[in-house]
Amino acid sequence: MLLFFTLGLLIHFVFFASIFDIYFTSPLVHGMTPQFTPLPPPARRLVLFVADGLRADALYELDENGNSRAPFIRNIIMHEGSWGISHTRVPTESRPGHVALIAGFYEDVSAVAKGWKENPVEFDSLFNESKYTWSWGSPDILPMFAKGASGDHVYTYSYDAKREDFGAQDATKLDTWVFDNVKDFFHHARNNQSLFSKINEEKIVFFLHLLGIDTNGHAHRPSSRDYKHNIKKVDDGVKEIVSMFNHFYGNDGKTTFIFTSDHGMTDWGSHGAGHPSETLTPLVTWGAGIKYPQRVSAQQFDDAFLKEWRLENWKRLDVNQADIAPLMTSLIGVPFPLNSVGILPVDYLNNTDLFKAESMFTNAVQILEQFKVKMTQKKEVTLPFLFTPFKLLSDSKQFNILRKARSYIKHRKFDEVVSLCKELIHLALKGLSYYHTYDRFFLGVNVVIGFVGWISYASLLIIKSHSNLIKGVSKEVKKPSHLLPCSFVAIGILVAFFLLIQACPWTYYVYGLLPLPIWYAVLREFQVIQDLVVSVLTYPLSHFVGYLLAFTLGIEVLVLSFFYRYMLTAGLTAFAAWPFLTRLWTRAKMTSLSWTFFSLLLAVFPLMPVVGRKPDISLVMGAGLLVLLLSLCVVTSLMKRKDSFIKEELLVHLLQVLSTVLSMYVVYSTQSSLLRKQGLPLMNQIISWATLGAYCNCQCILYGGKTWRRNGLGKNQFLRTSSLVVPLLSSPVLFQRLFSILLSLMSTYLLLSTGYEALFPLVLSCLMFVWINIEQETLQQSGVCCKQKLTSIQFSYNTDITQFRQLYLDDIRRAFFLVFFLVTAFFGTGNIASINSFDLASVYCFLTVFSPFMMGALMMWKILIPFVLVMCAFEAVQLTTQLSSKSLFLIVLVISDIMALHFFFLVKDYGSWLDIGTRQLLACTAWLFMYISASPNRLWMLSDPGLDLNLLHAIRACISHYVIVMSMTIFLVFLNGLAQLLTTKKLRLCGKPKSHFM
């Protein structure tokens, strides 16, 4: 069985990787020829201001007194330049936004693996094509364009990363630093002949990255005075820089200024998804080559922003974010970035019609070059009789369009040139997408065949080895035929040869050949299939259809719950009614009522807003008080049983209560300090990390005995220095150990909470305890075994429960309950598939300086704490119901694989990042976290105590779902091992450990 689990995990990792080969490979191609407009450009230099995190409405709207927050920018709109809205794409993060602005393409999701900071693939950019570029701003943004540039002509000036502090007194200092350093730079240039000559060259770029607005938005929300005041500071700074440039260059009229933003921000201070507040950013341009304001009487837009902003009389020119890159390149006369897919917005240009036509023609040829390279690459690795070209843009059509465009230019039909080039661009972009997804059908079919085969094999294994369904149906054992393996070997050789002659990547061999051994294993069980058919035919048709419909409905509820959180509410409401539809109500009224109450109480959470949108520290304090009250009741109850409650255990509970009190104090104190803009108190930070640190060292308890001895430390000495192992000191009695685990995890969870979510683990744990009780009742009701007293059951009881009984039909329900509770634990208080569901305020007790990996790791742990509680409770269910962990694992695996197959057809690489991420997360993690969670005993043996938690910043979920999926697969192994450790291991404060410890 261990071999089966190992192979199953490997197979699922292949399925996991297939999502990215099929849907999320890099769209970039290389080998194109640079293209530039063959006419003199209107500007010698370009100044790009990017106000990170600035929403369009925050800049354009008037305040309550009817005044603009950015009077200088508004004056530009009305008297000097052109303006509009830049429509960004998801993910609305800083790196993808800057790549779109400066390189002209929408970055693929693989960039998240490097935190949106490093270059996952090489790409061309405006900075690379410029003669010189000088940039000032954040160390998170500037290096990626300098490292991607050829030669040594991109210069960066960054402040220290520690300045990006969300708890700082004044985040506007980040922008002040940029403005001051630009002024110092030009002052220094007057006394440096070499530098002076460089900044007087043509085709140069100055880039000012302004992070203060984004920092204040995260820390205080966009509606805050700090955010709005920062906009005024930026406006003043831009005014000073523009004045300095004009003075330095003697008002030569050869400078173009562009002011925009990389992304917006939600009302609750986050970004990453596709809400209009995140995707609508301002674009204001003025200077050389830019059209002056155009007064109009009416404009046609689907929104009401113009009236709200009182700009209805000034022509608004909207663009896609990637369109800004070709606009900037045409203004200073450098080649278009090779990978750009932006379409030149000619309406912004104040130049001759010939210049506009030539620029548009160059833009079309540049995108067509990418199409040609992509087509050539695909044609070279495809057999001629199998290659299907993109019919809408054949070689002859390309030639005809280009020839016609040149003819129009010659005959001065410039409007026709622009229209024709736009048509060519749209066809070329469609062709790029066509060749990029050329192999998608082939790969998808292979993965689906493998999925179906694996589900079939796991189902047959359940029926054959863990149930009585086919026992006695057939006693005849047929000798296996040699025809079957020979046929599969022949098919495998043909598939491999087919892939070889097409020079396919090695991953294609994996996807193409993997289904063969899986289906061979399925067909080897042909006798089991026959017996199953005979057994099913003897079963009443109405019962069979009823169970099938119930199973299908349950699967669909699970699937829909990933898209609509309220489906969790519907499911929990159905759970609440379950005892009344069976005989449980008559046998255990109090348990049934408790189950109904806590199910309905837990059902409230998915209906509430996503965590972070409405922070309320009073709810966190309330949750802490409830934990203390519950602790008092439990300790009082246990003290009455003097035989089972000793001083050592009392000390353990007191330590946990003290930890909870400290956590409440830290949360309240930190919130007060941040409101006073005094930053995160050092003592609070120390207490927070000390509270968290013990859980990080839990593995040392299991594997570090020899280390303690080498260092001259006894185990007892080590334990006294680490409060993180407190649950291991509690009694192994089922209820006491579970309660101890809850107290220990709640201390950390309180530190990571900002509102109502602090109550979630408490309610979930209450329901889990009732679940343990009610499963005992169902088992007794079915007559499978007698009911045991929970006070007499210990987690340390190591009897192999697989010898007790085979699977019954009701065990499918138990497996479904486990899957549903796992999904609820993940999505009960938010949607981790959406980047903007995460609130950075959750980690302010630990750190306030921006650190995406560390912040992501902390928020990941917050999300997974409820999951650990469910897994610990399931350890108890498994123990009390004498349920085989192997057989239950297979049921959960089948359920989750059916879900994954369902999601596989829903995965897409277009549209809202929330939609993309949700489906990607589902397809990749649905079966993975179910697979791992169902069998902690087995996978803990396979896991390394030094697990690599790489890509952990994933779970700012944010951020990109590629990282979420990659980190979860590894991190959940650790958490499930931790669940087993927390429930089955026992340490003592004094004396020798009990025999079951080692």
Side-chain angles (χ1 to χ4, degrees):
M1 185 58 73
L2 181 59
L3 177 61
F4 170 80
F5 289 142
T6 306
L7 291 175
L9 187 59
L10 291 175
I11 290 171
H12 281 76
F13 268 112
V14 172
F15 291 158
F16 152 76
S18 69
I19 291 296
F20 304 102
D21 273 336
I22 296 173
Y23 292 98
F24 297 103
T25 53
S26 175
L28 301 187
V29 291
H30 301 282
M32 291 79 68
T33 304
Q35 305 290 328
F36 59 91
T37 305
L39 294 175
R44 291 175 58 88
R45 67 199 71 91
L46 181 138
V47 183
L48 173 62
F49 301 95
V50 178
D52 203 306
L54 177 61
R55 294 162 47 147
D57 59 344
L59 178 72
Y60 293 141
E61 69 185 4
L62 303 179
D63 61 20
E64 56 276 6
N65 298 321
N67 300 319
S68 173
R69 298 189 186 97
F72 175 75
I73 297 294
R74 194 171 183 91
N75 181 70
I76 293 293
I77 293 172
M78 294 181 174
H79 300 100
E80 294 187 37
S82 297
W83 75 286
I85 291 178
S86 170
H87 295 265
T88 71
R89 283 194 187 178
V90 286
T92 45
E93 289 287 329
S94 290
R95 178 192 166 104
H98 281 88
V99 169
L101 284 170
I102 300 167
F105 72 92
Y106 301 104
E107 194 169 34
D108 62 294
V109 295
S110 63
V112 76
K114 296 190 177 182
W116 299 125
K117 293 182 182 180
E118 301 293 337
N119 297 342
V121 290
E122 292 301 323
F123 60 86
D124 194 20
S125 70
L126 167 71
F127 296 173
N128 187 45
E129 296 293 352
S130 67
K131 191 164 188 177
Y132 296 106
T133 292
W134 290 271
S135 56
W136 296 264
S138 168
D140 297 331
I141 297 299
L142 304 188
M144 67 179 176
F145 294 103
K147 291 180 181 179
S150 59
D152 186 23
H153 65 280
V154 178
Y155 305 98
T156 62
Y157 304 90
S158 303
Y159 41 75
D160 190 86
K162 293 181 180 179
R163 286 176 172 263
E164 299 177 18
D165 189 345
F166 297 108
Q169 185 173 359
D170 187 6
T172 60
K173 291 181 179 179
L174 298 176
D175 300 335
T176 303
W177 184 95
V178 172
F179 294 132
D180 290 344
N181 275 265
V182 173
K183 295 173 188 175
D184 293 342
F185 172 82
F186 276 88
H187 178 74
H188 176 67
R190 294 182 182 276
N191 303 316
N192 186 318
Q193 186 59 42
S194 174
L195 179 58
F196 185 82
S197 62
K198 286 182 179 179
I199 62 177
N200 277 281
E201 295 276 2
E202 61 180 11
K203 301 179 180 180
I204 61 175
V205 177
F206 299 93
F207 172 43
L208 283 69
H209 177 243
L210 309 170
L211 188 62
I213 293 175
D214 184 74
T215 304
N216 270 316
H218 285 305
H220 307 292
R221 308 293 188 265
S223 59
S224 65
R225 183 182 63 83
D226 304 84
Y227 185 87
K228 296 173 181 177
H229 175 68
N230 204 150
I231 296 175
K232 179 65 169 65
K233 282 283 187 181
V234 166
D235 184 70
D236 293 338
V238 170
K239 180 180 180 181
E240 293 175 7
I241 295 298
V242 171
S243 175
M244 183 202 67
F245 265 88
N246 290 334
H247 177 71
F248 187 90
Y249 289 106
N251 294 301
D252 63 354
K254 291 295 183 178
T255 307
T256 301
F257 300 94
I258 293 184
F259 181 90
T260 187
S261 175
D262 55 345
H263 57 75
M265 186 171 289
T266 61
D267 292 338
W268 51 95
S270 65
H271 53 82
H275 191 274
S277 61
E278 301 167 86
T279 61
L280 302 183
T281 58
L283 174 61
V284 182
T285 63
W286 68 99
I290 297 295
K291 265 187 183 175
Y292 289 99
Q294 303 174 65
R295 295 296 296 263
V296 293
S297 57
Q299 301 186 64
Q300 297 296 324
F301 286 96
D302 295 332
D303 53 61
F305 293 141
L306 288 170
K307 287 187 177 181
E308 293 177 11
W309 301 336
R310 299 183 187 177
L311 291 171
E312 58 267 32
N313 294 326
W314 282 267
K315 189 173 183 179
R316 168 180 151 189
L317 303 170
D318 285 10
V319 300
N320 291 319
Q321 193 173 49
D323 299 341
I324 298 175
L327 173 64
M328 294 189 292
T329 57
S330 64
L331 287 167
I332 59 174
V334 300
F336 284 68
L338 294 176
N339 303 113
S340 172
V341 295
I343 303 175
L344 176 65
V346 292
D347 290 339
Y348 272 87
L349 295 177
N350 181 23
N351 213 315
T352 64
D353 290 339
L354 174 62
F355 181 86
K356 295 177 184 179
E358 286 286 1
S359 297
M360 199 70 205
F361 182 82
T362 303
N363 190 187
V365 172
Q366 170 259 324
I367 294 178
L368 183 62
E369 280 285 312
Q370 297 181 66
F371 168 80
K372 290 180 178 179
V373 171
K374 194 78 171 179
M375 180 181 67
T376 302
Q377 290 177 351
K378 184 54 59 180
K379 193 172 184 179
E380 288 176 350
V381 296
T382 306
L383 294 175
F385 67 91
L386 292 178
F387 181 72
T388 306
F390 182 63
K391 297 179 180 178
L392 295 180
L393 193 57
S394 61
D395 292 342
S396 59
K397 187 164 187 177
Q398 296 174 38
F399 177 78
N400 289 334
I401 292 178
L402 293 176
R403 181 179 55 80
K404 188 181 292 185
R406 270 296 163 203
S407 175
Y408 284 154
I409 292 176
K410 184 177 180 180
H411 293 88
R412 307 187 66 81
K413 296 181 179 180
F414 301 122
D415 291 339
E416 287 83 349
V417 174
V418 172
S419 299
L420 194 62
C421 289
K422 286 183 178 180
E423 178 188 350
L424 179 58
I425 288 175
H426 288 302
L427 288 174
L429 291 176
K430 285 184 179 180
L432 275 172
S433 177
Y434 172 80
Y435 287 118
H436 182 61
T437 60
Y438 193 84
D439 295 330
R440 183 169 292 181
F441 179 77
F442 168 75
L443 296 175
V445 167
N446 280 279
V447 172
V448 169
I449 292 173
F451 251 127
V452 174
W454 175 258
I455 294 171
S456 303
Y457 180 68
S459 302
L460 290 174
L461 192 59
I462 294 172
I463 295 167
K464 178 182 178 181
S465 305
H466 300 281
S467 74
N468 298 315
L469 188 61
I470 62 171
K471 295 294 176 62
V473 174
S474 175
K475 300 296 182 182
E476 182 182 356
V477 179
K478 295 183 179 180
K479 186 177 180 179
S481 171
H482 294 291
L483 179 61
L484 184 64
C486 291
S487 300
F488 275 89
V489 170
I491 295 173
I493 293 174
L494 288 175
V495 171
F497 179 74
F498 174 77
L499 297 173
L500 180 64
I501 60 178
Q502 295 194 97
C504 293
W506 66 270
T507 52
Y508 283 38
Y509 291 84
V510 177
Y511 305 139
L513 297 175
L514 182 62
L516 296 177
I518 295 176
W519 277 101
Y520 172 69
V522 171
L523 295 180
R524 281 191 63 186
E525 304 295 339
F526 183 73
Q527 186 63 51
V528 178
I529 298 174
Q530 281 186 320
D531 294 344
L532 175 62
V533 172
V534 172
S535 178
V536 169
L537 290 177
T538 62
Y539 204 71
L541 181 61
S542 58
H543 288 190
F544 175 76
V545 173
Y547 286 128
L548 184 62
L549 288 176
F551 182 79
T552 303
L553 178 62
I555 294 292
E556 290 304 313
V557 169
L558 286 172
V559 170
L560 289 173
S561 66
F562 280 77
F563 298 97
Y564 311 103
R565 289 175 57 219
Y566 60 78
M567 292 304 299
L568 295 174
T569 299
L572 289 168
T573 303
F575 284 7
W578 168 58
F580 301 98
L581 303 177
T582 64
R583 289 179 292 173
L584 283 173
W585 166 247
T586 58
R587 293 180 56 87
K589 291 186 178 181
M590 184 56 67
T591 303
S592 299
L593 287 174
S594 299
W595 169 267
T596 300
F597 174 75
F598 285 113
S599 294
L600 293 175
L601 191 59
L602 191 65
V604 174
F605 286 91
L607 297 177
M608 301 182 75
V610 172
V611 168
R613 301 190 180 186
K614 295 182 179 179
D616 190 345
I617 297 301
S618 62
L619 291 176
V620 181
M621 295 295 101
L625 291 174
L626 286 176
V627 171
L628 295 178
L629 181 62
L630 186 60
S631 301
L632 179 63
C633 296
V634 171
V635 170
T636 303
S637 174
L638 294 176
M639 289 183 67
K640 294 179 181 178
R641 297 191 299 241
K642 297 181 180 180
D643 58 328
S644 62
F645 195 69
I646 59 178
K647 292 182 179 179
E648 177 184 320
E649 294 169 6
L650 177 60
L651 179 60
V652 169
H653 283 288
L654 290 178
L655 286 173
Q656 292 176 317
V657 169
L658 176 61
S659 178
T660 303
V661 172
L662 282 175
S663 295
M664 294 172 62
Y665 164 76
V666 169
V667 170
Y668 182 80
S669 174
T670 300
Q671 175 72 5
S672 301
S673 179
L674 293 178
L675 287 176
R676 296 192 301 269
K677 296 187 178 180
Q678 296 177 353
L680 172 61
L682 178 60
M683 183 55 65
N684 289 11
Q685 192 173 22
I686 293 173
I687 293 174
S688 298
W689 283 108
T691 303
L692 176 68
Y695 302 105
C696 299
N697 291 329
C698 279
Q699 286 180 311
C700 297
I701 303 304
L702 187 58
Y703 295 97
K706 295 181 180 179
T707 303
W708 296 333
R709 293 186 181 93
R710 285 198 301 267
N711 295 334
L713 291 174
K715 293 177 184 178
N716 297 335
Q717 290 175 285
F718 180 83
L719 294 178
R720 291 190 186 101
T721 65
S722 177
S723 62
L724 300 171
V725 294
V726 171
L728 304 182
L729 300 173
S730 63
S731 170
V733 175
L734 185 144
F735 171 71
Q736 295 181 37
R737 176 56 66 91
L738 289 179
F739 184 70
S740 180
I741 292 170
L742 171 63
L743 289 182
S744 298
L745 293 178
M746 277 300 297
S747 298
T748 302
Y749 200 85
L750 290 174
L751 293 171
L752 292 167
S753 297
T754 61
Y756 74 87
E757 81 273 18
L759 297 165
F760 181 74
L762 199 57
V763 177
L764 180 65
S765 296
C766 291
L767 181 59
M768 291 299 97
F769 179 70
V770 179
W771 184 33
I772 297 168
N773 283 270
I774 206 166
E775 288 295 356
Q776 275 199 307
E777 296 291 345
T778 59
L779 211 60
Q780 186 180 14
Q781 175 181 302
S782 61
V784 175
C785 65
C786 297
K787 180 180 177 181
Q788 296 175 277
K789 290 185 178 180
L790 293 181
T791 54
S792 65
I793 301 176
Q794 294 191 2
F795 277 115
S796 56
Y797 185 61
N798 290 325
T799 303
D800 184 6
I801 62 173
T802 59
Q803 63 179 318
F804 289 164
R805 65 182 178 89
Q806 295 281 64
L807 285 173
Y808 290 89
L809 197 59
D810 200 38
D811 290 325
I812 298 178
R813 176 195 54 78
R814 291 187 179 91
F816 177 79
F817 274 20
L818 172 62
V819 175
F820 192 92
F821 287 138
L822 288 173
V823 175
T824 303
F826 270 104
F827 296 99
T829 59
N831 183 359
I832 67 170
S834 174
I835 293 177
N836 73 3
S837 292
F838 293 87
D839 183 14
L840 294 179
S842 297
V843 303
Y844 284 174
C845 290
F846 295 89
L847 74 165
T848 55
V849 176
F850 181 65
S851 176
F853 282 88
M854 186 61 67
M855 289 177 167
L858 289 169
M859 286 188 280
M860 176 67 170
W861 179 235
K862 175 185 177 181
I863 290 170
L864 295 180
I865 282 176
F867 176 69
V868 174
L869 293 173
V870 173
M871 290 310 305
C872 290
F874 179 68
E875 288 283 335
V877 170
Q878 180 180 294
L879 186 64
T880 57
T881 59
Q882 300 175 341
L883 188 62
S884 167
S885 59
K886 297 176 182 178
S887 55
L888 184 81
F889 161 70
L890 291 173
I891 297 176
V892 172
L893 185 61
V894 170
I895 293 175
S896 54
D897 277 346
I898 293 173
M899 292 171 59
L901 186 60
H902 196 302
F903 294 135
F904 185 83
F905 294 104
L906 299 177
V907 176
K908 63 180 182 179
D909 57 357
Y910 59 89
S912 165
W913 189 247
L914 175 60
D915 296 336
I916 296 171
T918 302
R919 290 164 173 81
Q920 180 186 356
L921 179 66
L922 308 184
C924 295
T925 61
W927 42 263
L928 272 172
F929 79 77
M930 306 302 180
Y931 181 95
I932 296 170
S933 63
S935 186
N937 296 336
R938 276 76 196 161
L939 293 181
W940 179 250
M941 291 186 288
L942 299 177
S943 62
D944 182 352
L947 289 173
D948 177 18
L949 306 184
N950 64 330
L951 309 181
L952 197 58
H953 92 295
I955 305 308
R956 49 175 186 172
C958 272
I959 279 196
S960 157
H961 298 82
Y962 176 83
V963 184
I964 294 177
V965 175
M966 291 297 290
S967 62
M968 286 180 67
T969 59
I970 300 174
F971 201 43
L972 285 177
V973 176
F974 167 77
L975 286 178
N976 281 278
L978 179 61
Q980 184 193 7
L981 176 79
L982 292 174
T983 55
T984 60
K985 301 301 174 183
K986 178 69 172 76
L987 303 178
R988 295 179 65 88
L989 285 173
C990 56
K992 295 182 179 181
K994 293 182 179 181
S995 58
H996 61 257
F997 172 65
M998 290 293 186

